[in-house]
């Protein structure tokens, strides 16, 4: 039987507001589940009275709290663990080893005859559900099995290691890391304010990031990153040569090789299109074959060559095109994706699409991007564009919230 909607409305922090809606639906829910990117004790306090009352009276509750960028409050996680003493409560948190950012804002309420979902931009913080300019959709339905879908999604995240069950030990370790990060961010904010006042502040900012990366001896540091990228480039070129061969492949065989290729690339989200691209293997292989046979090493020319070859290959966008070119020559061809565009903007080179696509970038624009990336590389004293891309990636992920 199809899901039947019994009502929907927009929520913002005015009238109607998130706090009122969450408390109203908690008051009659049999089961409650939420998955939140960032949560703070300030937001929890606004719903705690209703939440504690309902849990004590038998409401099941599941909390999944992200810890990316150390935005969630350790105090909030400790408080959620205390709720397990009064009722049926499960608490999960992001994993330190998680590969992808945990970024949902979902509140699910299951009643006797209907279910309600609030989905939008509101984190479980005072700003998110009370003060900020936020917008969410509240949807009441009958005959929806959202809780089962939620549990299935949760099981997948646990299996993939993207989230873990919250324990006192894990929260304590997160609190230690959170304290260090928060202190460093305050120092960085003051440094950024000084940089903003200088005309060369962007390059100075990237120089400071590079300095910190070089001081980091872990696998996330500069030396390890550069070594890893050099190895990936060598391996990536070998995969490209296999893809360009005349050997007959099934879609499954191509998919295996393509997976090997994108594992050597450093743009995010490439795995999401791998199955779609595998269905267009012949066109993809033909384009790569043409690239490897081309003797011209002009960025505009080679970008246009792959742009034309990948025209009908859904999922093979600007990031795949430029990562492929970067495999061939990391002195000449820069990776062009959201991270690197953001990095160039920090250095004062704006004007490129924030989200580069095959529709918004042509060979001429890519050639200009490579020229400006090379200029920044020289200003930073880096050996090649792979090293610059490592700095850009580091700078970008510092900015994401």
């Amino acid at each position: 039987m199809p899901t039947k909607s019994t009502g929907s409305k927009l929520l913002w922090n005015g009238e109607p507001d998130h706090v009122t809606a969450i408390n109203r639906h908690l008051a009659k829910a049999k089961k409650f589940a939420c998955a939140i990117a960032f949560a703070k004790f300030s937001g929890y306090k606004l719903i705690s009275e209703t939440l504690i009352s309902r849990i004590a009276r038998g409401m099941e509750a599941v909390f999944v709290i992200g810890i990316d960028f150390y935005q969630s409050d350790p105090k909030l996680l400790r408080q959620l663990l205390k709720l397990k003493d009064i009722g049926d409560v499960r608490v999960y948190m992001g994993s330190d080893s998680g590969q992808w950012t945990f970024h949902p804002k979902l509140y699910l309420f299951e009643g006797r005859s209907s279910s309600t979902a609030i989905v939008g931009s509101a984190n479980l913080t005072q700003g998110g559900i009370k003060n900020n300019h936020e917008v969410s959709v509240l949807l009441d339905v009958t005959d929806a099995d959202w809780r089962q879908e939620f549990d299935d999604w949760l099981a997948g995240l646990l299996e993939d290691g993207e989230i873990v069950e919250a324990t006192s030990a894990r929260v304590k370790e997160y609190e230690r890391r959170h304290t260090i990060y928060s202190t460093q961010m305050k120092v960085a904010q003051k440094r950024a304010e000084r940089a903003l006042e200088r005309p060369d502040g962007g390059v100075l900012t990237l120089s400071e990031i590079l300095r910190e990366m070089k001081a980091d001896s872990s696998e996330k540091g500069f030396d390890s990153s550069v070594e890893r990228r050099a190895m990936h480039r060598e391996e990536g070129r070998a995969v490209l040569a296999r893809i360009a061969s005349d050997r007959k492949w099934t879609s499954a065989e191509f998919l295996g090789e393509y997976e090997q290729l994108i594992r050597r690339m450093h743009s995010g989200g490439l795995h999401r299109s791998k199955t779609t691209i595998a269905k267009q293997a012949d066109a993809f292989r033909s384009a790569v074959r043409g690239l490897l046979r081309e003797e011209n090493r002009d960025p505009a020319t080679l970008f246009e060559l792959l742009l034309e070859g990948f025209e009908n290959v859904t999922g093979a966008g600007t990031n795949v095109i430029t990562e492929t070119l970067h495999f061939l020559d990391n002195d000449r061809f820069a990776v062009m994706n959201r991270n690197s565009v953001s990095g160039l903007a920090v250095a004062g080179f704006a004007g490129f699409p924030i989200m580069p696509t095959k529709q918004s970038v042509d060979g001429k624009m890519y050639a200009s991007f490579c020229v400006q990336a090379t200029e920044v590389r020289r200003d930073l004293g880096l050996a090649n564009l792979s090293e610059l891309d490592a700095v850009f990636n580091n700078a970008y992920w510092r900015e994401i919230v």
Side-chain angles (χ1 to χ4, degrees):
M1 181 181 295
T3 297
K4 297 179 181 178
S5 174
T6 59
S8 61
K9 65 176 66 176
L10 289 177
L11 296 177
W12 52 86
N13 290 331
E15 181 61 40
D17 63 82
H18 289 83
V19 175
T20 300
I22 292 172
N23 277 313
R24 183 173 69 248
H25 286 87
L26 272 176
K28 56 185 179 181
K30 296 170 55 181
K31 297 180 180 180
F32 170 64
C34 69
I36 305 297
F38 308 142
K40 296 184 183 295
F41 191 76
S42 62
Y44 168 81
K45 287 195 301 183
L46 298 174
I47 64 171
S48 60
E49 183 177 348
T50 308
L51 181 66
I52 292 171
S53 173
R54 292 299 299 154
I55 291 173
R57 295 175 62 184
M59 182 186 75
E60 298 177 19
V62 179
F63 301 89
V64 191
I65 307 299
I67 62 170
D68 294 288
F69 321 115
Y70 301 97
Q71 294 295 307
S72 290
D73 188 351
K75 182 179 179 181
L76 175 277
L77 289 169
R78 290 199 303 270
Q79 190 63 42
L80 294 181
L81 289 180
K82 291 180 181 179
L83 296 179
K84 299 173 72 172
D85 295 333
I86 64 173
D88 186 356
V89 176
R90 288 182 287 157
V91 184
Y92 302 93
M93 61 191 288
S95 169
D96 289 335
S97 60
Q99 186 175 6
W100 309 109
T101 302
F102 188 79
H103 211 245
K105 292 89 176 174
L106 170 67
Y107 305 82
L108 288 180
F109 311 85
E110 183 178 323
R112 293 185 179 277
S113 59
S114 65
S115 298
T116 299
I118 297 176
V119 187
S121 65
N123 281 304
L124 185 55
T125 64
Q126 181 171 323
I129 63 175
K130 183 177 180 181
N131 296 334
N132 295 344
H133 296 296
E134 310 279 0
V135 176
S136 300
V137 174
L138 183 151
L139 183 63
D140 290 315
V141 300
T142 59
D143 304 318
D145 200 4
W146 282 339
R147 182 56 183 270
Q148 184 59 55
E149 293 180 41
F150 179 88
D151 287 343
D152 291 344
W153 174 65
L154 198 64
L157 291 174
L158 284 165
E159 183 178 354
D160 292 342
E162 293 295 311
I163 63 172
V164 294
E165 182 179 358
T167 64
S168 296
R170 284 173 172 155
V171 172
K172 184 177 181 180
E173 171 58 17
Y174 171 70
E175 183 173 26
R176 182 187 72 83
R177 297 165 68 94
H178 179 276
T179 300
I180 295 172
Y181 183 86
S182 299
T183 302
Q184 290 287 341
M185 286 300 294
K186 291 176 182 177
V187 174
Q189 184 175 0
K190 292 180 179 179
R191 188 168 59 235
E193 290 171 353
R194 291 194 297 269
L196 286 172
E197 298 174 356
R198 297 183 53 163
D200 59 346
V203 174
L204 285 176
T205 298
L206 293 174
S207 295
E208 181 63 24
I209 290 172
L210 175 59
R211 185 190 67 78
E212 292 179 5
M213 289 179 68
K214 287 184 175 181
D216 184 354
S217 60
S218 75
E219 63 176 16
K220 295 182 180 180
F222 183 77
D223 291 341
S224 295
S225 180
V226 168
E227 181 179 353
R228 186 166 54 251
R229 285 166 179 268
M231 179 181 66
H232 286 171
R233 280 193 61 247
E234 182 177 350
E235 294 171 346
R237 289 196 299 271
V239 177
L240 285 175
R242 293 197 297 270
I243 287 176
S245 70
D246 293 328
R247 177 191 162 195
K248 299 289 185 181
W249 280 350
T250 64
S251 292
E253 288 172 328
F254 171 81
L255 177 59
E257 288 292 343
Y258 185 73
E259 286 177 333
Q260 293 298 318
L261 184 70
I262 61 177
R263 284 173 188 166
R264 274 77 182 175
M265 295 179 176
H266 294 266
S267 295
L270 298 181
H271 66 290
R272 299 184 187 120
S273 301
K274 63 183 183 181
T275 304
T276 302
I277 291 177
K279 295 177 182 178
Q280 307 159 87
D282 289 344
F284 189 95
R285 296 184 70 192
S286 177
V288 173
R289 199 173 293 125
L291 171 68
L292 297 187
R293 291 172 179 169
E294 177 61 56
E295 296 181 359
N296 192 324
R297 283 297 179 259
D298 173 60
T301 300
L302 293 192
F303 184 91
E304 290 288 349
L305 187 153
L306 285 185
L307 185 64
E308 181 179 355
F310 291 164
E311 180 180 5
N312 297 315
V313 182
T314 303
T318 300
N319 47 7
V320 174
I321 291 174
T322 59
E323 289 269 15
T324 301
L325 293 176
H326 189 74
F327 280 146
L328 298 185
D329 188 341
N330 66 342
D331 288 322
R332 190 182 299 268
F333 306 121
V335 174
M336 187 178 189
N337 55 23
R338 182 167 49 182
N339 302 12
S340 55
V341 168
S342 175
L344 270 189
V346 170
F349 295 104
F352 297 103
I354 297 175
M355 298 267 304
T357 67
K358 289 188 288 189
Q359 291 72 39
S360 62
V361 180
D362 60 14
K364 182 179 179 181
M365 179 180 290
Y366 176 64
S368 174
F369 183 86
C370 290
V371 168
Q372 295 183 359
T374 299
E375 182 175 337
V376 176
R377 176 191 69 76
R378 290 170 180 163
D379 287 342
L380 294 176
L382 299 172
N384 53 56
L385 293 171
S386 295
E387 295 186 0
L388 179 67
D389 194 57
V391 176
F392 281 168
N393 277 359
N394 190 288
Y396 179 79
W397 289 110
R398 289 171 184 237
E399 295 173 2
I400 293 295
V401 293

